Amino acid sequence: MNIEIKNVYALIDGEIKRHSIYIEKDTITGVDNIPEGFKAEKTIDGTDRLVIPGLINAHTHSYMAPLRNIADDMPFMDWLLKGVNPVEDRMTGEDAYWGAMLAMAEMIRCGTTTFNDMQMHIHNTTRAVKESGMRAVISRGLVGDKYDKEDRRIKEAFEEMPDGEGTNGRLTFRLAPHAPYSAGIDYIRGIVDIAKEKGLGIHIHLAESQTEVDNLKKEYGLTAIEYADKAGCFDVPCIAAHCVKVTESDIALMAKKNVSVVTNPASNMKLGNGFAPVPEMIEAGINVCLGTDGAASNNTLNMFHEMSLLTLIHKGTHDTPVCIGAKEALDIATKNGAKALGLKNVGEIKEGYKADLAILDINTPSMVPRNNMLSSLTYSANGSEVDTTIVDGEILMEGRELKTIDLEKVLHEANAMMERLA
Ligand code: NI
C-alpha cells in the first residue's frame, strides 16, 4: 500500500523536525520529495504526531512472555531452576506460539518493530511471526557439551530450520549456542562451523553473572569472552547478550573482532547481576544495542522503559549526567540494533530504507511540552504514546488497535496456559 504521512514531526539523523514521508510497498521512497507518480492509497495526518524508526529489541525470548511474574525476588539459581525451567519444560509448541503472540502484541503496542529471539520452539515462533507481520531474527537456543550432529536440538536448529518464505525478508535466522555455562567449547565450535557453512550469525549469552565468569576461570582459566572467542564465536558475525562481567581486555577483544553487544539493563538489575560497562564499550568502538531479555527476567518487553534505564543507570554508576544521552540511547535502540542483526536498510527514516516505523501521539502529558522531544522519547515516554506501528510498509497497529493479532484471543490463551502450567 502507498502511504503518505503528512507534515509530521520525524526523528531523522538525530533531529526532530517536520517532514512528509512517502511509503511505497515495503520501502520509504521519499522524505519531503514526493516520488514520481506517487499516489497515496492512505494518508496519515501528522498533526500531533511524531514518527520514529521502529525500535529494535536485540535480545529477547518471546515464548517466555507468559512467564512474566513467575519467579520474582528470588536468588538467580532458584529463579532459573525452581521458577522458570520447570514451567518452560512443560510448555508445548502451541504454548510457545501463544507466548510469542503475547510478546508481539506487547512489543507492537510499544513501538517495537524488530526483535532478536532465542527460542525453544522455532517452528511455532516462525508461524507466529509470519502471522503478526513483525520483523524478527530467530534462533534455537542450543545446550550441550560434546557436538553431535545427530543431536535433536541441533537438527531442529539447522537441518529442519524453518524458512522465511513469504515474509519478504522480514524473517531471518541465526544459530544460538545458549551460553558458556550451558554449551561446551567443542559443542559451540560445531555450531560455529555450521554457521560458517550456511552464512549465518551467532546469538549467545555471555558474561551475564559473576558466578559464570568465576566458574569458567576456575575450570578453563578463561573469561567468558575469551571462552567464546576460543570456541570461534567471533569468527562469524556475533551478537552477544549481557556482557556484564567483562574486563578491559575482554572489551578490546570484542572491539577487535567486531562483536555487537546487546545490553539488557532491566534484566541484569532484576537478577542482581549489576551493570554492563556500556560507556567503556562504546568508547572502545563496540556496536552496542539494546534488548529487554525475556519477560521472566524483566518483566516487560517495553523498549521505552529499557531506554530510560539505559540512560539513567550509566549516569548513576559513572557519577556524571553527561553519559549516554537521549540521542545516543535512541541510536542504540534503533540503528545499532539493525547493524548488529545484519539488517540492511533498517533502523532509520531515509529514502530506500524499510518502512518500519512507530508513530506516537504527542498530544499527551508525557510528550508535552514539545521543546525537546528527543528527551521526551527517552526520559518521559512510556510506550503508551505509540498510536501506529508499521513494519515493512504494513500497518500492524493503528489508533492502538492491533490489525494482525487477535488481542482478546491471545490474552485468553496466555491466561489459560499459565493456569494450566504454573
Ligand atoms: Ni536471555
Side-chain angles (χ1 to χ4, degrees):
M1 183 161 57
N2 289 358
I3 304 172
E4 173 185 22
I5 311 173
K6 212 172 171 181
N7 199 21
V8 67
Y9 283 111
L11 171 61
I12 298 177
D13 289 333
E15 280 187 75
I16 295 176
K17 287 184 185 161
R18 282 205 181 272
H19 295 280
S20 286
I21 293 162
Y22 304 93
I23 298 167
E24 291 174 89
K25 292 190 182 137
D26 57 341
T27 305
I28 297 165
T29 52
V31 176
D32 298 325
N33 302 314
I34 305 183
E36 222 184 286
F38 181 88
K39 254 195 161 48
E41 291 162 89
K42 181 177 179 72
T43 298
I44 297 174
D45 178 7
T47 309
D48 294 330
R49 294 289 183 268
L50 162 63
V51 59
I52 63 171
L55 301 173
I56 297 180
N57 187 348
H59 175 72
T60 191
H61 310 271
S62 65
Y63 71 103
M64 292 175 91
L67 273 64
R68 200 190 316 275
N69 318 329
I70 194 150
D72 294 336
D73 311 321
M74 285 170 123
F76 180 79
M77 279 304 165
D78 289 349
W79 168 83
L80 186 67
L81 302 178
K82 292 183 190 163
V84 174
N85 284 354
V87 178
E88 204 178 17
D89 290 345
R90 289 201 293 276
M91 281 179 91
T92 63
E94 195 63 11
D95 291 334
Y97 167 85
W98 290 111
M101 280 297 194
L102 179 66
M104 289 189 284
E106 185 180 2
M107 289 194 274
I108 293 167
R109 279 162 63 96
C110 295
T112 297
T113 51
T114 296
F115 63 107
N116 182 32
D117 207 29
M118 199 190 286
Q119 270 296 328
M120 298 270 278
H121 305 269
I122 58 173
H123 289 270
N124 301 76
T125 313
T126 296
R127 177 160 64 97
V129 172
K130 283 184 175 177
E131 289 173 19
S132 76
M134 281 191 81
R135 192 178 300 285
V137 180
I138 299 181
S139 47
R140 170 71 161 94
L142 295 165
V143 173
D145 189 21
K146 289 273 169 249
Y147 180 75
D148 172 7
K149 66 179 174 27
E150 296 306 315
D151 181 284
R152 181 182 57 84
R153 291 195 187 100
I154 289 181
K155 274 180 169 284
E156 263 178 41
F158 164 52
E159 285 176 16
E160 299 155 21
M161 189 180 246
D163 59 41
E165 210 180 315
T167 65
N168 192 35
R170 275 196 293 112
L171 189 52
T172 51
F173 297 89
R174 288 204 163 217
L175 293 175
H178 177 264
Y181 59 83
S182 52
I185 288 189
D186 172 67
Y187 182 79
I188 298 178
R189 271 207 200 106
I191 294 167
V192 170
D193 284 343
I194 301 172
K196 279 183 188 162
E197 192 185 310
K198 294 283 158 189
L200 297 171
I202 291 286
H203 178 196
I204 188 168
H205 296 102
L206 286 182
E208 183 174 1
S209 72
Q210 194 59 49
T211 316
E212 172 190 336
V213 170
D214 290 346
N215 289 347
L216 291 172
K217 198 92 225 174
K218 220 186 309 172
E219 200 168 336
Y220 303 95
L222 299 169
T223 67
I225 306 305
E226 289 164 351
Y227 181 98
D229 184 44
K230 201 170 173 205
C233 284
F234 303 161
D235 300 336
V236 290
C238 180
I239 184 162
H242 303 303
C243 300
V244 178
K245 306 294 180 188
V246 292
T247 63
E248 258 178 58
S249 67
D250 284 339
I251 292 175
L253 176 59
M254 288 193 288
K256 193 174 143 214
K257 296 276 185 135
N258 289 319
V259 176
S260 285
V261 170
V262 194
T263 187
N264 305 272
S267 172
N268 296 151
M269 283 197 281
K270 185 169 178 246
L271 295 175
N273 286 326
F275 311 98
V278 170
E280 290 77 3
M281 293 197 273
I282 292 171
E283 178 72 31
I286 291 176
N287 179 52
V288 176
C289 48
L290 186 65
T292 59
D293 211 351
S297 65
N298 186 304
N299 296 358
T300 82
L301 303 175
N302 183 334
M303 287 287 286
F304 283 95
H305 179 238
E306 215 66 34
M307 274 197 290
S308 171
L309 289 176
L310 172 72
T311 55
L312 298 179
I313 63 170
H314 297 293
K315 294 178 198 325
T317 53
H318 288 73
D319 297 324
T320 170
V322 286
C323 180
I324 319 262
K327 184 180 171 299
E328 195 163 27
L330 284 159
D331 282 348
I332 288 172
T334 54
K335 63 181 184 187
N336 290 16
K339 188 180 171 196
L341 295 170
L343 300 173
K344 301 255 184 308
N345 301 335
V346 170
E348 293 183 70
I349 300 175
K350 266 188 185 171
E351 276 176 28
Y353 271 59
K354 291 286 188 180
D356 288 7
L357 305 166
I359 306 174
L360 284 75
D361 176 1
I362 52 172
N363 197 28
T364 189
S366 55
M367 299 300 289
V368 171
R370 296 178 183 176
N371 54 350
N372 187 346
M373 283 187 270
L374 268 181
S375 279
S376 301
L377 282 168
T378 39
Y379 298 119
S380 59
N382 56 54
S384 68
E385 303 83 356
V386 177
D387 174 88
T388 299
T389 303
I390 300 174
V391 179
D392 216 34
E394 188 188 357
I395 296 173
L396 306 190
M397 180 175 79
E398 191 175 24
R400 287 199 68 72
E401 190 193 318
L402 295 174
K403 300 290 182 189
T404 53
I405 294 178
D406 181 345
L407 183 60
E408 219 172 296
K409 170 97 174 137
V410 170
L411 301 179
H412 171 79
E413 292 290 342
N415 275 324
M417 180 200 316
M418 292 315 286
E419 275 172 28
R420 177 165 48 82
L421 294 179

mmCIF file of all heavy atoms in Angstrom, residues 59 61 205 242 293, ligand 1:
data_model
loop_
_atom_site.group_PDB
_atom_site.id
_atom_site.type_symbol
_atom_site.label_atom_id
_atom_site.label_comp_id
_atom_site.label_asym_id
_atom_site.label_seq_id
_atom_site.Cartn_x
_atom_site.Cartn_y
_atom_site.Cartn_z
ATOM 1 N N HIS A 59 17.604 -8.476 22.009
ATOM 2 C CA HIS A 59 17.725 -9.769 22.705
ATOM 3 C C HIS A 59 16.482 -10.036 23.533
ATOM 4 O O HIS A 59 16.193 -9.318 24.491
ATOM 5 C CB HIS A 59 18.958 -9.808 23.615
ATOM 6 C CG HIS A 59 19.044 -11.075 24.419
ATOM 7 N ND1 HIS A 59 19.361 -12.288 23.855
ATOM 8 C CD2 HIS A 59 18.816 -11.334 25.734
ATOM 9 C CE1 HIS A 59 19.349 -13.229 24.786
ATOM 10 N NE2 HIS A 59 19.006 -12.680 25.945
ATOM 11 N N HIS A 61 13.318 -13.448 24.468
ATOM 12 C CA HIS A 61 12.845 -14.834 24.333
ATOM 13 C C HIS A 61 11.323 -14.718 24.311
ATOM 14 O O HIS A 61 10.689 -14.744 25.368
ATOM 15 C CB HIS A 61 13.307 -15.687 25.518
ATOM 16 C CG HIS A 61 14.777 -15.567 25.816
ATOM 17 N ND1 HIS A 61 15.722 -16.377 25.219
ATOM 18 C CD2 HIS A 61 15.472 -14.735 26.631
ATOM 19 C CE1 HIS A 61 16.937 -16.042 25.661
ATOM 20 N NE2 HIS A 61 16.811 -15.047 26.519
ATOM 21 N N HIS A 205 24.439 -15.752 24.917
ATOM 22 C CA HIS A 205 24.526 -15.019 26.193
ATOM 23 C C HIS A 205 25.972 -15.108 26.668
ATOM 24 O O HIS A 205 26.528 -16.208 26.732
ATOM 25 C CB HIS A 205 23.690 -15.705 27.288
ATOM 26 C CG HIS A 205 22.215 -15.739 27.044
ATOM 27 N ND1 HIS A 205 21.563 -16.857 26.607
ATOM 28 C CD2 HIS A 205 21.259 -14.797 27.243
ATOM 29 C CE1 HIS A 205 20.255 -16.599 26.530
ATOM 30 N NE2 HIS A 205 20.044 -15.361 26.905
ATOM 31 N N HIS A 242 24.189 -9.378 27.167
ATOM 32 C CA HIS A 242 24.648 -9.099 28.534
ATOM 33 C C HIS A 242 26.050 -8.502 28.615
ATOM 34 O O HIS A 242 26.204 -7.310 28.764
ATOM 35 C CB HIS A 242 24.494 -10.319 29.457
ATOM 36 C CG HIS A 242 23.096 -10.834 29.514
ATOM 37 N ND1 HIS A 242 22.047 -10.042 29.899
ATOM 38 C CD2 HIS A 242 22.559 -12.036 29.183
ATOM 39 C CE1 HIS A 242 20.934 -10.734 29.822
ATOM 40 N NE2 HIS A 242 21.215 -11.941 29.378
ATOM 41 N N ASP A 293 15.589 -8.746 27.073
ATOM 42 C CA ASP A 293 15.646 -10.116 27.560
ATOM 43 C C ASP A 293 14.208 -10.628 27.663
ATOM 44 O O ASP A 293 13.263 -9.934 27.254
ATOM 45 C CB ASP A 293 16.400 -10.205 28.895
ATOM 46 C CG ASP A 293 17.124 -11.555 29.056
ATOM 47 O OD1 ASP A 293 16.896 -12.465 28.233
ATOM 48 O OD2 ASP A 293 17.922 -11.691 30.006
HETATM 49 NI NI NI B 1 18.376 -14.026 27.502
#
